[in-house]
Amino acid sequence: MKVSVIIVNYNVKYYISQCVDSVMKASDGMDVEIIIVDNHSSDGSVSYLRKQYPNVRIMASSHNLGFSRANNIGIKRSTGDYILLLNPDTIIEQDTLRKCVDFMQRHDDCGALGVCQRHPDGTRAMESRRGLPTPMTSFYKMTGLTTRFPNHRRFAKYYMSYLSWEEENEIEVISGAFFFGRKEAIVKAGMLDEDYFMYGEDIDLSYCIMQEGYKNYFLPTNILHYKGESTTKSSFRYVHVFYQAMLIFISKHFSNMSFFLKLPIQLAIYIKATLALGSTLNEKAKKMLGFGSNKRRATQRYVFVINKSNLEACNALASDNALEAEFITLCPQHADNLIQQINHHKFSDKKNSTFIVYDLSVFSFTQVLEKFSSSPQENVYLGTYNPDRNLIITHQECFTLIE
């Protein structure tokens, strides 16, 4: 077995089904196994996935194991020379796995690699490549110097934003949303540290792999990560959990550092958490008092680019879900020409959102991702329509007639 793809699922059965579909398309002609570890989902994920994918190995836990422990179970049961830890809310391109394996075979020193994650609007996710959150690197990020000086090799080390997005580069931290590594290196590094509640386990594993003498790399190929932009990064819970993970990392790997180096980080955590809590309480108070209720609500419209034979079913799906929809129909043999002609720019609106929903019976995941990545537009987001499951997926919601 060449590649073992491990996906941890928790109540996202439709997102993970699309993720598995993309992995299967990328596995064509390769030796790949898919392992799903379900963390006690309550949305019927296990029965749904077992019915849809009888050849996929699905392990169902009787309780929520957490991200690290669930992945470790998958790693222990895997048989591949390479391991891909993959989030369920991702889509990979058809040549993604092959590119990763080829890179590993060309670089014997590579322990793990990451790729360019794209948000649903086509923009790049900064967390696609990162530096180790050493005390000073963490301090630069929390004080805003990382954002203010994105091309500075010291201040911008956290996101390594001074590196080219178009070139292969050595980096330090691989994102847990797409973590492709040699099984040998991952096992030597001790696999994922189960002390991390959420966030940080990918940083820790990346560092441990480097400590074993391997290097980590960035590979400039695209994947889609739906939830990357929907995380409320100003929320009290996010700030608390994210920066606490930083402290766990520093305490574990930099325990000999001076107290005075850790103190600024701890102070920044409390300040950011307090500001986030204040912002959350302020928004709740404004809603309770009715402020802003008279503002015009932003609308969402859906532009469907579909096979004309799917128009009736897709129209019914949009109607049943009260979607503001318009349709562009085509014959499959004209798809390649049409996708080039569709201008996402004309759907851009500063106040309202547009989801351009591509028919997956006509367009490949690769075509759709390339279209959005080539020219991101403000408030224009990627959506997919799967006629086999009568399912629409966006980063905000999934719509289906089948429950």
Side-chain angles (χ1 to χ4, degrees):
M1 183 64 62
K2 186 63 92 176
V3 180
S4 297
V5 181
I6 300 169
I7 311 171
V8 176
N9 177 65
Y10 182 67
N11 290 328
V12 286
K13 64 181 181 182
Y14 294 132
Y15 286 105
I16 194 174
S17 68
Q18 183 168 248
C19 176
V20 171
D21 288 343
S22 73
V23 172
M24 287 184 165
K25 291 182 185 297
S27 303
D28 188 34
M30 298 181 66
D31 192 7
V32 176
E33 69 174 350
I34 302 173
I35 299 173
I36 296 174
V37 183
D38 185 82
N39 262 338
H40 196 48
S41 295
S42 58
D43 66 345
S45 284
V46 174
S47 58
Y48 178 82
L49 293 170
R50 283 178 173 162
K51 180 179 179 181
Q52 295 290 338
Y53 308 104
N55 297 323
V56 170
R57 192 173 182 183
I58 301 172
M59 291 179 282
S61 173
S62 59
H63 59 284
N64 192 334
L65 302 171
F67 182 78
S68 294
R69 187 177 175 191
N71 268 305
N72 284 343
I73 288 174
I75 293 170
K76 291 174 183 176
R77 305 291 173 83
S78 66
T79 60
D81 300 317
Y82 303 105
I83 301 290
L84 171 59
L85 306 181
L86 186 64
N87 270 23
D89 56 349
T90 58
I91 298 176
I92 67 174
E93 294 188 345
Q94 286 171 270
D95 59 357
T96 298
L97 296 181
R98 195 172 302 279
K99 284 182 176 179
C100 291
V101 171
D102 289 346
F103 185 90
M104 284 283 190
Q105 291 177 340
R106 288 187 287 111
H107 297 79
D108 293 336
D109 62 346
C110 180
L113 64 83
V115 297
C116 181
Q117 298 177 40
R118 296 279 181 169
H119 294 307
D121 63 356
T123 56
R124 299 183 182 96
M126 294 300 292
E127 60 268 21
S128 300
R129 56 197 189 176
R130 286 173 290 170
L132 291 170
T134 61
M136 290 312 300
T137 298
S138 302
F139 178 74
Y140 296 145
K141 181 182 187 301
M142 288 185 289
T143 55
L145 290 172
T146 296
T147 302
R148 186 169 183 180
F149 301 101
N151 297 317
H152 196 285
R153 297 190 74 86
R154 178 184 295 175
F155 296 150
K157 181 70 178 293
Y158 189 87
Y159 289 122
M160 307 187 90
S161 50
Y162 46 82
L163 296 176
S164 169
W165 285 100
E166 310 302 327
E167 299 175 0
E168 299 171 354
N169 273 297
E170 184 179 344
I171 59 174
E172 293 177 341
V173 174
I174 311 297
S175 169
F178 184 102
F179 195 110
F180 192 98
R182 297 183 193 275
K183 183 175 183 179
E184 178 185 46
I186 291 174
V187 172
K188 281 184 178 179
M191 301 192 291
L192 283 76
D193 188 333
E194 297 175 14
D195 286 342
Y196 291 90
F197 173 73
M198 183 168 51
Y199 308 114
E201 64 285 318
D202 50 357
I203 300 173
D204 188 89
L205 180 57
S206 298
Y207 185 47
C208 290
I209 287 175
M210 291 169 61
Q211 287 182 311
E212 291 298 325
Y214 297 95
K215 294 180 180 179
N216 296 328
Y217 288 89
F218 168 78
L219 189 63
T221 187
N222 294 318
I223 69 164
L224 174 73
H225 189 193
Y226 273 110
K227 298 299 182 180
E229 72 168 30
S230 63
T231 303
T232 307
K233 296 189 176 182
S234 61
S235 70
F236 175 79
R237 181 172 179 269
Y238 172 84
V239 171
H240 177 74
V241 173
F242 180 81
Y243 289 108
Q244 280 300 320
M246 264 192 192
L247 278 181
I248 292 173
F249 178 82
I250 291 171
S251 297
K252 177 179 177 180
H253 296 290
F254 299 92
S255 58
N256 60 336
M257 287 286 185
S258 167
F259 167 78
F260 294 102
L261 286 177
K262 294 180 183 179
L263 183 60
I265 298 173
Q266 291 175 317
L267 288 175
I269 289 172
Y270 296 134
I271 292 170
K272 282 182 172 287
T274 301
L275 290 174
L277 179 60
S279 176
T280 301
L281 293 175
N282 182 51
E283 288 300 316
K284 287 183 178 180
K286 287 169 67 176
K287 287 182 180 180
M288 290 178 61
L289 296 172
F291 290 108
S293 59
N294 294 325
K295 291 183 179 180
R296 185 175 69 88
R297 295 182 60 188
T299 61
Q300 295 180 340
R301 61 173 174 168
Y302 295 77
V303 178
F304 292 85
V305 186
I306 58 172
N307 187 333
K308 64 180 181 181
S309 64
N310 293 327
L311 176 60
E312 184 176 351
C314 197
N315 192 22
L317 183 57
S319 178
D320 278 14
N321 287 281
L323 305 182
E324 182 182 317
E326 60 183 271
F327 300 90
I328 301 173
T329 59
L330 68 153
C331 296
Q333 59 267 32
H334 299 144
D336 288 342
N337 291 330
L338 182 61
I339 197 170
Q340 300 300 326
Q341 297 172 17
I342 295 175
N343 185 0
H344 288 185
H345 177 72
K346 73 175 185 177
F347 300 110
S348 181
D349 187 323
K350 290 185 178 180
K351 295 183 179 180
N352 303 309
S353 299
T354 298
F355 296 89
I356 303 183
V357 183
Y358 285 95
D359 187 339
L360 294 179
S361 69
V362 179
F363 303 99
S364 69
F365 290 121
T366 300
Q367 285 178 302
V368 176
L369 288 181
E370 287 180 349
K371 180 66 176 179
F372 277 86
S373 300
S374 63
S375 181
Q377 301 295 328
E378 184 177 13
N379 285 336
V380 177
Y381 302 100
L382 179 151
T384 59
Y385 170 64
N386 188 328
D388 294 334
R389 299 191 180 96
N390 204 21
L391 178 65
I392 299 168
I393 295 181
T394 72
H395 70 282
Q396 291 188 345
E397 292 183 85
C398 300
F399 303 100
T400 182
L401 295 176
I402 304 172
E403 293 292 344

